[in-house]
Amino acid sequence: MPLASQETTVPVVVDEAKCIAEKGCTVCVEVCPLDVLRISDMSKKAYMAYDECWYCMPCEADCPTGAVTVNIPYLLK
Amino acid sequence: MTMDQITGGMSEVSCDVLVIGGGTAGPMAALKAKRKTPDATVILLEKANVKRSGAISMGMDGLNNAVIPGYATPEQYTKEITIANDGIVNQKAVYKYAESCYSIIEELDSYGIRFLKNENGDFDVKKVHHIGTYVLPMPNGETVKKALYRQLRRARLLISNRYMATRLLTGKDGRIAGAIAVNTRNAEFLVIRAKSVILCMGAAGRLGLPTSGYMYGTYENAANSGDGYAMAYHAGAGLANLESFQINPLIKDYNGPACAYVAGPFGAYTANNDGARFIECDYWSGQMMLEFFNELQSGKGPVFLKLNHLHSDTISEIEHTLHNVERPTRGNFHENRNTDYRKEMIEMHISEIGFCSGHSASGVFVDEFGRTTVPGLYAAGDMASVPHNYMLGAFTNGSIAGEDAMSYANDVDFADFDPADIAAEKERVLAPTKREDGIPANQIEYKTRRLVNDYLQPPKVTMKYELAQRRFAEVREDMENHMIARNSHELMRSLEASSIIDCADMAAHASLYRTESRWGLYHLRTDYREKNNEDWFCHTLLSKQDGVMTSETRPVDDYIVPIADDEKDLYDKQRIKISA
């Protein structure tokens, strides 16, 4: 069975100008209970890789530079 | 190596006490075990990261069940919880919690966790329950996890983050022997031999599908996918009263608590569309949920949390707690919809179903020391059967289980297990990674949970339950033969899908077994509408016997706190009587 993907807006948004992941910071990736954040190989910045968000906020609260914003997922907004 | 690749290697470690789950009960259990025997090895295993995992990831807004001298006694509390659970409780376990929890509050206070105090410096306890006074607010409760984590570091506990336990190992003599876990970021296996194991893996919170349709928009932390329930089941432990589902009154769509325990003491209340009260008491019980459900369906529906009669300063105080602690995105949610607590009521709805003894009574059976029916295996927190346990119950019973599990470990040697069990488990876990194509785990999970909503949500209808069992069997076959996982993250989700379908089957089986109605909405059967004390004043215990799901009754132990006949139905009188 071939697979197709379905578009989705991601709740967790990272301000790349503020994100310091390229300096080795992985705080948001480490604290996420659902493990949905990753560091991009291309941009070297954090991003939401999996749309599996509990909109709980440790990523935003613990980010040392205030780069992460948690929005309410569109389906329940 | 890139994150999420599948490596599939394996290593083995051993310890005296293994604690699985680093949310609330787990860290406390590990801490107490280690303090009891400082030179023993204690491992705390966590699927996410102990710093921010579990139900209290962002803290907690209060203690819902604090038994504090001067406000309440263990006897009063035990009586209230017995009545709220229609009499089906193991009072010894409830009483043990009630008499132990005050010392845990003092201990948490000494860790720097802040509770509301009055001008004299005493705990400022509020009344929310039907009968007694047990709610202690935590307006600065966002620090809980950090304070706890400091204690864990100080005790030099071994913490393994991002390891998901998949199955328990049992010895040839029936004792617990350890557990198998898989790393969620590289699929490395870890076999942990242990003399005793404490399961603290939270609720089965991804059982029903939220009405928003967003799979992770659950009431419970969505990481709590019922893995502990499934593991206990496959290890042969008994699970108690699973038919007493968790269903909670929540903010519609947001699916977080409204939260009557925070706002209630300030004068807020649950109201119908007239803005009128319809229930006597906002404390979460099955009986209260039934009245909530009835009101939702009626011409007076839907249901709201009403604060707009309160002074603006009072509302600001409530907002400070609700928008900073436990589920802080609640403020953003209201802002998006331009909902102002001062102007309008907040629409509420009921949550999807789940298992959680923290709020209801559905959990792995434990005695007053947290011992399950498998020697050396313990459980604590939301997944253990002590009812209406909440956060303080997780801390207190985690503490009790930690100490007892270490005493047990001190007296025994490792149990011998069959190495073939490990090979078989590795094959089961990795099977979805070996297929070229098939059905992704999210679709297996979605379908299971959609069927749970369609067929298992109360009111419970026998025929619908039987249809559900047939549909679950079909999805299970798809899961076992066609599910795919293309990286280690998807592998974690595929293992969770397996826990979820196990829980769905258990929910159906346990509900069909109890042919009566009890606990208000939690177990409302349309074809057995009445409570039947003659045949069903008992626990039900579900377990795997010779590979087959089996239910049996277990008598309720003699009460240590007697309940008078005229007190037994106090929780059945929730609806406010309309005076002529």
Side-chain angles (χ1 to χ4, degrees), chain A residues 1 30 35 51 54 62, chain B residues 52 162 185 214 327 437:
Chain A
M1 275 167 276
E30 289 316 310
D35 204 14
D51 180 25
W54 192 48
D62 294 350
Chain B
R52 286 296 196 182
R162 303 292 172 193
R185 288 174 173 176
Y214 189 64
R327 296 308 316 270
D437 65 11

Side-chain angles (χ1 to χ4, degrees), chain B residues 215-356:
Chain B
M215 283 167 73
Y216 295 82
T218 46
Y219 166 66
E220 295 289 345
N221 185 325
N224 292 343
S225 44
D227 310 324
Y229 287 82
M231 280 172 52
Y233 170 72
H234 289 291
L239 295 100
N241 305 319
L242 295 181
E243 64 279 16
S244 179
F245 293 168
Q246 160 172 254
I247 308 167
N248 294 325
L250 303 173
I251 296 172
K252 186 170 184 303
D253 297 336
Y254 180 72
N255 226 11
C259 171
Y261 297 176
V262 172
F266 289 99
Y269 55 87
T270 306
N272 59 24
N273 70 24
D274 282 341
R277 285 178 196 262
F278 61 94
I279 39 177
E280 294 275 358
C281 156
D282 283 330
Y283 178 66
W284 293 3
S285 64
Q287 298 86 342
M288 178 273 209
M289 272 310 300
L290 180 56
E291 295 303 344
F292 192 110
F293 175 77
N294 288 338
E295 202 73 359
L296 272 179
Q297 310 292 321
S298 78
K300 298 281 186 194
V303 173
F304 298 87
L305 180 69
K306 182 169 163 45
L307 296 92
N308 56 1
H309 56 291
L310 301 176
H311 191 275
S312 181
D313 293 349
T314 308
I315 292 177
S316 298
E317 207 175 329
I318 294 168
E319 281 174 335
H320 172 80
T321 303
L322 291 182
H323 301 171
N324 286 295
V325 185
E326 190 183 355
R327 296 308 316 270
T329 51
R330 186 165 22 204
N332 309 359
F333 174 78
H334 290 315
E335 209 181 310
N336 285 329
R337 293 192 176 185
N338 297 314
T339 308
D340 184 343
Y341 289 180
R342 288 161 191 79
K343 294 190 181 130
E344 57 192 308
M345 303 193 294
I346 302 147
E347 188 185 355
M348 294 175 72
H349 197 66
I350 59 176
S351 71
E352 65 282 358
I353 69 160
F355 294 149
C356 175

Side-chain angles (χ1 to χ4, degrees), chain B residues 69-90:
Chain B
Y71 290 98
T73 63
E75 285 76 16
Q76 284 171 333
Y77 178 79
T78 304
K79 185 182 273 193
E80 177 130 19
I81 295 303
T82 303
I83 297 167
N85 282 281
D86 276 342
I88 312 294
V89 295
N90 175 4

Side-chain angles (χ1 to χ4, degrees), chain A residues 9-59:
Chain A
T9 55
V10 296
V12 178
V13 180
V14 177
D15 182 341
E16 294 200 350
K18 290 184 184 167
C19 177
I20 52 166
E22 77 278 8
K23 292 179 179 146
C25 178
T26 57
V27 168
C28 61
V29 179
E30 289 316 310
V31 295
C32 176
L34 277 302
D35 204 14
V36 301
L37 303 175
R38 291 290 179 267
I39 309 296
S40 165
D41 288 336
M42 311 258 285
S43 66
K44 310 294 176 200
K45 303 288 184 181
Y47 75 107
M48 188 168 169
Y50 304 98
D51 180 25
E52 300 160 343
C53 180
W54 192 48
Y55 42 102
C56 52
M57 249 161 106
C59 54

Side-chain angles (χ1 to χ4, degrees), chain B residues 22-24 27 46 49-54 56-59 113 141-150:
Chain B
T24 312
E46 165 59 46
N49 186 310
V50 175
K51 277 184 191 167
R52 286 296 196 182
S53 57
I56 61 168
S57 174
M58 289 297 284
I113 295 168
E142 73 273 16
T143 58
V144 181
K145 267 295 207 186
K146 279 201 171 115
L148 206 55
Y149 194 69
R150 248 193 327 266

Side-chain angles (χ1 to χ4, degrees), chain B residues 422-484:
Chain B
I422 293 173
E425 177 59 2
K426 189 176 176 187
E427 194 181 319
R428 180 190 78 91
V429 168
L430 291 178
T433 69
K434 308 289 185 198
R435 298 182 184 114
E436 288 298 312
D437 65 11
I439 306 164
N442 66 318
Q443 285 200 298
I444 297 284
E445 175 178 338
Y446 183 91
K447 191 162 178 180
T448 306
R449 294 172 63 188
R450 193 267 296 173
L451 293 169
V452 166
N453 278 22
D454 285 355
Y455 294 111
L456 301 193
Q457 250 182 156
K460 305 180 183 180
V461 182
T462 301
M463 185 70 195
K464 284 171 73 177
Y465 266 64
E466 288 166 358
L467 287 167
Q469 289 179 315
R470 276 158 56 183
R471 297 285 94 79
F472 292 153
E474 290 158 10
V475 178
R476 182 180 290 279
E477 198 180 309
D478 289 339
M479 179 185 78
E480 286 172 356
N481 298 303
H482 303 294
M483 182 164 63
I484 53 163

